[in-house]
Amino acid sequence: MSGLADVERAIRRAEADYNRPRDSVRLIAVSKTYGADAIRPLLDAGQRRFGENRVQEAQAKWPALRSAAPDLDLHLIGPLQSNKTRDAMALFDAIHSLDRPKLARAIAEEAARIGRCPDLFVQVNTGAEPQKAGILPADADGFVAECRDVLGLPVVGLMCIPPIGLPPSPHFAMLAMLAQRNGLSCLSMGMSADFEAAIQLGATHVRVGSAIFGERRSSGATVPG
Ligand SMILES: *Cc1c(COP(=O)(O)O)cnc(C)c1O
């Protein structure tokens, strides 16, 4: 598990370098496209927080793994279709892709039905990219208020995926500013290539896949799941 140990070490070093409290950054090991055989050694090494980007793929592999690790902390980091809300809320402990009013209403309805709700992150489209999911930065305050104050949802933070090929730090800084302005304590930002820069700018949850598991064969693209 050298990948996991290396990433853990790099996170602790970045915390020290950037004056962040030790263990203030939580590692989400992104296991999308990887099967149980690749995941089990991480569970054996003590890793409990994992991320998946498709509901169906997660449903196929995690129930069996969870029975061996009841303290698992499973995060949905990919887009969520409203009609998969029930399945997602039955499986995941946190959802990072709350990105539109219709989904917020579906989550609130299901939360009322089952009497609990995963921790929620509002996804912000910091680069205002037309093809990318997320609330536009200008709409973030209003959407957070609607989710939290009108629908009563447990919004804990914000999440972003910066545009490919541009320096990510301005996007991380924008997300941190929006979170602070809205009194949100969690920031889901930073992937294999840039988690140290994200930690410098306040990330509390980094989502790291390939640096732990190796390069994915399939893209693991963020298609709706
Ligand atoms: C795949 C994925 C990651 C992890 O990406 P790596 O570059 O493999 O670390 C992080 N966040 C989201 C939303 C993803 O889909």
Side-chain angles (χ1 to χ4, degrees):
M1 277 307 91
S2 64
L4 176 65
D6 289 347
V7 170
E8 282 283 358
R9 246 193 315 275
I11 289 171
R12 302 286 90 86
R13 194 181 321 120
E15 285 174 344
D17 287 350
Y18 301 122
N19 291 313
R20 301 283 312 278
R22 191 177 166 83
D23 298 325
S24 58
V25 179
R26 278 156 277 187
L27 171 61
I28 300 170
V30 177
S31 48
K32 65 186 182 191
T33 78
Y34 280 92
D37 288 352
I39 294 169
R40 252 183 234 106
L42 273 80
L43 289 169
D44 291 343
Q47 176 67 26
R48 287 294 180 273
R49 193 173 294 105
F50 289 86
E52 292 282 346
N53 71 334
R54 304 190 63 176
V55 175
Q56 256 176 322
E57 180 186 342
Q59 277 176 320
K61 58 192 190 194
W62 281 103
L65 290 165
R66 194 193 279 271
S67 61
D71 55 342
L72 189 75
D73 187 15
L74 196 57
H75 293 232
L76 178 65
I77 61 171
L80 177 58
Q81 293 173 319
S82 306
N83 63 7
K84 297 249 178 75
T85 302
R86 183 168 293 183
D87 288 345
M89 289 173 67
L91 183 62
F92 289 98
D93 304 291
I95 295 174
H96 292 235
S97 47
L98 175 51
D99 62 358
R100 59 197 191 281
K102 184 181 178 198
L103 179 60
R105 287 192 296 272
I107 291 175
E109 213 169 278
E110 178 66 4
R113 196 184 72 85
I114 63 177
R116 59 181 172 73
C117 190
D119 286 344
L120 300 173
F121 292 76
V122 168
Q123 183 172 353
V124 181
N125 185 356
T126 55
E129 297 173 277
Q131 83 289 4
K132 194 167 273 178
I135 294 288
L136 290 172
D139 299 333
D141 296 357
F143 184 66
V144 168
E146 182 190 338
C147 290
R148 209 168 36 185
D149 307 335
V150 180
L151 296 171
L153 293 175
V155 177
V156 299
L158 303 180
M159 177 271 219
C160 76
I161 307 171
I164 292 171
L166 292 178
S169 287
H171 298 269
F172 297 152
M174 182 196 292
L175 200 72
M177 181 272 289
L178 290 171
Q180 187 181 25
R181 192 160 86 193
N182 285 280
L184 295 169
S185 59
C186 294
L187 282 170
S188 169
M189 58 190 198
M191 314 192 346
S192 291
D194 54 21
F195 66 85
E196 282 140 321
I199 290 170
Q200 180 176 19
L201 290 161
T204 59
H205 294 69
V206 293
R207 311 178 307 266
V208 180
S210 48
I212 295 173
F213 288 95
E215 289 300 327
R216 288 175 292 275
R217 267 158 303 171
S218 50
S219 72
T222 49
V223 295

